Each structure stands twice: as structure tokens, then as C-alpha cells.
Amino acid sequence: KLKFDFYLVDTKNIPIDAKINYKLNQIGSDRVANYIAIYNKKIFDCIIIDFGTATTFDVIKNNEYYGGLIFPGLTLSMNSLISNTELLKKSKISKVKKILARDTISSIKSGFYFGYLHAINGTLKQIILENKFKPKIYITGGFGEIFRDKILFKPIYNKYLTLEGIRVIGENLQDA
């Protein structure tokens, strides 16, 4: 007989002595889980980029959650663009080789790929400059794979980072 326990990842009841420098009632459970996965790996300086509904950047400095930023995710942006324009049609978001396109579908693909790629790399440079540290870069989430070989600072792609964090939290709950 299997027994399933469900757990809501919440900053108020994480069974790990990790420091989060963020308004605790405003941080998403996915971001907490990502941080806990990195905390568990004992990676002291890191930036996590999660390509989910939102694209989030979370900064881990000296093994503490230091802060982050959020901008719209790729699918959310695509849906907004398509629903608010007359002639544009939904396009598959994918990696492209050249920035200039010669048709609308290719233009949308290029705009999303290169627009997000340069936003990601520019954001990474700014975070590193402002915080004066040399972090490892972790990327996760559905679209992380299409960007991983073009993101600066040789990122580590881990599709299941959030799930790893949830597992670590669950294991620590069992031990508590």
C-alpha cells in the first residue's frame, strides 16, 4: 500500500537552515526549491536562470539567497504578442542561426531567440558587475536547453533542478 504525502513548499516551513534575503511572503516556491537544490550542492556563488512561466534570475552569494529578478517567460510573451496583434501567428520558439529573417514566422522566431538571449546575457553581466563575484551559472526550465550553448559564462543545464530542490526538502522533512 502506497502512502503519498503532499507538501507545499513555503519559506515559513522549510526544514533546512538556509538564509533567504527576500520578502518571504513574496518568493515563489519554484525559486525556493531551486535555491535549496543549489544550497544542498554547497555551491556558494551562483546565478540560477529558470525558464518557466516567468524567466527568473536568482542570485546565491556566500550560500545565501541574495535576491533576484523576474521578467515574462517566453510562452507568456508569445501568447501576449499573438493575442494583441492582428496579423501575427503563433510560432514555435526555437534556436535560430541568424538574426535577420525574410518572413514573419522567421522574424518572430529570431526576435524571441535573440531578444531573450541578449536580455539574458546582458542581465548576467549586470548582476555580476553589481555584486562583484564570479558565480556558477545554472539554467533550468523548458527553454533552458535552446539557450545553453549561447549563454555566457558556460552555464550548467539541469532540467530538473526544481524537482531536486523539492526532493531535498522532502528528505529533510522525513528526517525532522
Side-chain angles (χ1 to χ4, degrees), residues 37-84:
I38 293 299
Y39 179 89
N40 190 58
K41 294 175 188 284
K42 296 180 177 30
I43 298 168
F44 285 81
D45 293 320
C46 175
I47 299 171
I48 305 163
I49 306 168
D50 190 341
F51 294 90
T53 304
T55 299
T56 59
F57 289 71
D58 295 298
V59 176
I60 313 310
K61 191 170 179 184
N62 299 320
N63 210 25
E64 296 178 6
Y65 184 94
Y66 205 66
L69 62 106
I70 303 168
F71 58 88
L74 284 130
T75 302
L76 186 66
S77 293
M78 174 68 76
N79 291 341
S80 178
L81 176 69
I82 300 310
S83 68
N84 289 294

Side-chain angles (χ1 to χ4, degrees), residues 1-6:
K1 187 175 180 180
L2 295 174
K3 180 184 174 201
F4 294 99
D5 290 323
F6 293 92

Side-chain angles (χ1 to χ4, degrees), residues 3-22:
K3 180 184 174 201
F4 294 99
D5 290 323
F6 293 92
Y7 178 72
L8 176 64
V9 175
D10 188 340
T11 56
K12 295 177 188 106
N13 58 5
I14 294 175
I16 297 166
D17 188 26
K19 185 161 183 183
I20 299 175
N21 294 308
Y22 203 88

Side-chain angles (χ1 to χ4, degrees), residues 6-150:
F6 293 92
Y7 178 72
L8 176 64
V9 175
D10 188 340
T11 56
K12 295 177 188 106
N13 58 5
I14 294 175
I16 297 166
D17 188 26
K19 185 161 183 183
I20 299 175
N21 294 308
Y22 203 88
K23 287 189 176 184
L24 296 181
N25 63 340
Q26 295 182 6
I27 188 167
S29 57
D30 54 339
R31 297 172 78 190
V32 171
N34 287 340
Y35 165 55
I36 295 301
I38 293 299
Y39 179 89
N40 190 58
K41 294 175 188 284
K42 296 180 177 30
I43 298 168
F44 285 81
D45 293 320
C46 175
I47 299 171
I48 305 163
I49 306 168
D50 190 341
F51 294 90
T53 304
T55 299
T56 59
F57 289 71
D58 295 298
V59 176
I60 313 310
K61 191 170 179 184
N62 299 320
N63 210 25
E64 296 178 6
Y65 184 94
Y66 205 66
L69 62 106
I70 303 168
F71 58 88
L74 284 130
T75 302
L76 186 66
S77 293
M78 174 68 76
N79 291 341
S80 178
L81 176 69
I82 300 310
S83 68
N84 289 294
T85 58
E86 182 81 20
L87 298 175
L88 300 182
K89 303 289 183 227
K90 192 167 189 173
S91 172
K92 182 181 178 196
I93 298 169
S94 60
K95 188 177 188 175
V96 296
K97 292 182 180 179
K98 293 187 175 188
I99 198 163
L100 290 180
R102 303 209 189 281
D103 62 77
T104 302
I105 295 294
S106 298
S107 294
I108 293 170
K109 285 182 178 186
S110 179
F112 272 84
Y113 180 73
F114 284 106
Y116 270 81
L117 176 63
H118 292 296
I120 291 160
N121 284 331
T123 301
L124 283 173
K125 286 179 184 178
Q126 188 67 30
I127 291 170
I128 291 167
L129 179 70
E130 284 183 15
N131 291 283
K132 298 174 178 66
F133 73 139
K134 293 184 180 180
K136 287 186 177 185
I137 309 300
Y138 270 79
I139 57 175
T140 191
F143 288 107
E145 193 164 9
I146 68 171
F147 292 104
R148 75 186 200 179
D149 64 335
K150 295 292 185 182

